[in-house]
Amino acid sequence: MAQYDQNLLSDMLPIYYTRLFPQNIFCRWLGCGSHPQPLAHRELSFTLADDVYLRYLSISNQKELQTLLQKKCPHKLDIGAVYNTRPSIARHGSVVLSRELVFDIDLTDYDEVRTCCQEAKVCDKCWKFMVIACEIIDVALKDDFGFQSILWVFSGRRGVHCWVSDYEARTLDSPGRGAVADYLCLIMGGDNQSKKVHLGSDNLHTSIRRALNVIDKYFVDILQDQEFFANPDGLKKLLALIPDEAFKSLVEKTLEKMPDSSVERFKALTNIFESHCRENGIFSRKFKYLIEEIKIQYCYPRLDVNVTKGFNHLLKSPFSIHPKTGKVSVAFKPNNAKNMNLDEIPTIYTLLDDSAAENAKHQANMRTAVKVFQEVVFSLEKTEALRRKSENNKSLEF
Ligand SMILES: [Zn+2]
């Protein structure tokens, strides 16, 4: 890809906001997701060039949005909560009434497992962790919580955001959000804790079974890409997840003698585990889900729970530009995450540069992303209209 100069951003952003940013659908999404409060009660925040940070902005309609974007030319656009008043008027006395239930999944939280990249780096190999995360969380939100209006967005660099706009989700209080986050969170403990997944010995909850089925679809592929257990350090990390000393040393002796392949090593671990379980009833009951726990520790979504729990945590807007990469935070369908190629995600530079080799491809991908966004908004508008109608009918009955 051609190199672009970050200094061009200030010149390009006004054109991007006018020509490409889906202003109309953005306002409809936020307006619908602010109801019964007006759109103007929603907080927007801008990060300007030189990292100047403007909070408590608000708009009443698309025209005001366009004016504000042109005037301030934000390098980053964030979305906050819905207040009982315009956030700009009474920032101290104002009360947060609602906001989308949001999820933030970032590949930096996978640094203890991924071997291909670290920190800000991301490649198509580690993107597979995001593919698994999207599939698991999306189905859980739909099947376990009954949510329908779910928008998935590329965060701009190395992760994804998920916005749930259903009325029941938007009006969840902090403990409610905490409960959803805790329900979806299976990996616990900080850097000092090796084993972070404990499934107990009762029958597994349907949602965990379902998550494991998703992981199984990609597990061999990920083992080949990441080679978690190929070197002594990786092997040590794996052994640290085995709580039973006798079994651990048995595994260690077998795996050390084997070829490096993580696929082969994991297969061997599973075989030794199964035969050990057959011979040892107590072990088998006590460590019933050891293999599942290992799979989950390496592949299950690592959520930033504070973002989900917080009521007014600002989150980057869909279709905002990532100031460092120039990439657009495109909307995508969760079941299409596996087909996303990181190089094909449109950037502001390629979109606005007719001579760029990627221009046509990126234009097409931008159109697809806007269409995905539209579909979510149209369906949200329909659901909201039905909900309001049934609320009106209810109030007429009294
Ligand atoms: Zn990578």
Side-chain angles (χ1 to χ4, degrees):
M1 196 194 288
Q3 286 300 306
Y4 290 96
D5 184 354
Q6 216 179 306
N7 297 320
L8 292 173
L9 265 187
S10 297
D11 295 331
M12 293 182 124
L13 280 164
I15 310 171
Y16 172 79
Y17 286 129
T18 307
R19 278 201 225 149
L20 293 160
F21 186 86
Q23 290 186 14
N24 175 275
I25 209 77
F26 173 82
C27 290
R28 284 167 69 174
W29 176 61
L30 276 193
C32 213
S34 303
H35 190 83
Q37 301 300 311
L39 172 61
H41 288 194
R42 166 83 69 160
E43 178 184 358
L44 296 180
S45 108
F46 288 178
T47 310
L48 309 184
D50 311 326
D51 283 339
V52 174
Y53 199 47
L54 301 179
R55 280 201 63 175
Y56 305 108
L57 302 168
S58 70
I59 47 149
S60 305
N61 50 46
Q62 188 189 336
K63 197 163 170 272
E64 284 186 22
L65 174 69
Q66 163 72 4
T67 310
L68 196 61
L69 289 173
Q70 293 306 318
K71 200 167 120 196
K72 302 286 185 194
C73 184
H75 282 216
K76 185 163 159 270
L77 175 56
D78 285 287
I79 297 173
V82 180
Y83 290 78
N84 61 335
T85 168
R86 267 189 103 110
S88 47
I89 297 172
R91 65 179 73 160
H92 297 299
S94 49
V95 183
V96 173
L97 295 180
S98 71
R99 77 146 309 157
E100 287 78 6
L101 176 67
V102 291
F103 298 91
D104 180 9
I105 314 169
D106 193 299
L107 275 168
T108 44
D109 290 323
Y110 288 71
D111 279 357
E112 65 171 351
V113 291
R114 58 180 182 155
T115 59
C116 52
C117 306
Q118 290 284 291
E119 292 169 14
K121 285 221 174 85
V122 48
C123 71
D124 289 324
K125 284 182 181 176
C126 47
W127 182 253
K128 287 176 190 162
F129 291 114
M130 289 296 115
V131 173
I132 293 180
C134 293
E135 265 189 57
I136 290 179
I137 302 295
D138 193 67
V139 182
L141 290 172
K142 285 176 181 155
D143 290 4
D144 300 346
F145 294 97
F147 295 139
Q148 294 175 359
S149 182
I150 304 171
L151 177 71
W152 285 92
V153 180
F154 174 59
S155 71
R157 192 183 232 182
R158 58 196 172 202
V160 295
H161 296 156
C162 171
W163 300 76
V164 186
S165 296
D166 294 72
Y167 181 77
E168 295 74 16
R170 282 188 275 126
T171 50
L172 267 180
D173 58 9
S174 285
R177 280 160 208 262
V180 176
D182 291 339
Y183 175 87
L184 292 171
C185 196
L186 295 182
I187 300 172
M188 317 274 192
D191 292 342
N192 303 326
Q193 195 175 330
S194 319
K195 189 165 167 63
K196 295 183 176 163
V197 182
H198 299 273
L199 298 178
S201 54
D202 295 340
N203 285 341
L204 286 185
H205 190 279
T206 331
S207 75
I208 299 178
R209 278 263 162 251
R210 198 181 47 216
L212 281 161
N213 287 339
V214 175
I215 292 173
D216 280 338
K217 282 200 287 179
Y218 302 96
F219 196 61
V220 170
D221 218 14
I222 288 200
L223 283 180
Q224 282 167 344
D225 285 345
Q226 300 291 337
E227 288 291 4
F228 297 129
F229 323 125
N231 59 37
D233 194 39
L235 199 53
K236 209 171 117 194
K237 279 191 192 163
L238 174 66
L239 293 168
L241 306 184
I242 302 177
D244 182 84
E245 289 305 321
F247 180 65
K248 189 195 287 193
S249 84
L250 188 66
V251 173
E252 188 171 14
K253 273 182 210 141
T254 317
L255 297 200
E256 270 176 354
K257 277 183 281 177
M258 288 187 58
D260 292 348
S261 153
S262 296
V263 175
E264 293 307 317
R265 286 185 164 179
F266 195 76
K267 223 185 265 170
L269 166 68
T270 312
N271 290 339
I272 314 169
F273 175 76
E274 280 166 5
S275 70
H276 203 73
C277 283
R278 278 192 295 271
E279 290 157 16
N280 187 334
I282 298 171
F283 174 88
S284 135
R285 276 190 296 279
K286 206 167 161 194
F287 304 111
K288 193 171 172 186
Y289 297 118
L290 181 62
I291 299 296
E292 286 85 353
E293 286 168 344
I294 294 171
K295 285 182 181 173
I296 288 175
Q297 176 140 354
Y298 280 92
C299 295
Y300 188 84
R302 290 160 181 261
L303 301 173
D304 185 341
V305 288
N306 291 328
V307 175
T308 303
K309 289 180 178 180
F311 229 134
N312 46 2
H313 204 108
L314 294 161
L315 195 64
K316 187 157 171 269
S317 163
F319 296 93
S320 179
I321 299 293
H322 192 291
K324 293 275 183 327
T325 61
K327 283 186 177 163
V328 181
S329 286
V330 285
F332 63 90
K333 289 189 174 162
N335 55 8
N336 201 37
K338 57 180 173 293
N339 304 321
M340 277 168 76
N341 178 335
L342 293 172
D343 291 331
E344 290 181 356
I345 290 173
T347 73
I348 186 170
Y349 308 113
T350 50
L351 286 173
L352 296 183
D353 178 0
D354 294 341
S355 64
E358 305 91 340
N359 180 268
K361 181 80 195 162
H362 283 194
Q363 293 274 9
N365 288 347
M366 181 73 179
R367 281 193 296 273
T368 306
V370 172
K371 223 170 128 199
V372 170
F373 189 28
Q374 270 172 346
E375 278 170 24
V376 172
V377 177
F378 293 166
S379 134
L380 171 65
E381 286 178 339
K382 254 190 217 158
T383 324
E384 267 295 298
L386 285 174
R387 192 187 61 75
R388 285 179 218 173
K389 206 170 147 193
S390 90
E391 255 181 17
N392 287 340
N393 288 344
K394 255 187 240 159
S395 63
L396 283 177
E397 282 166 18
F398 290 101

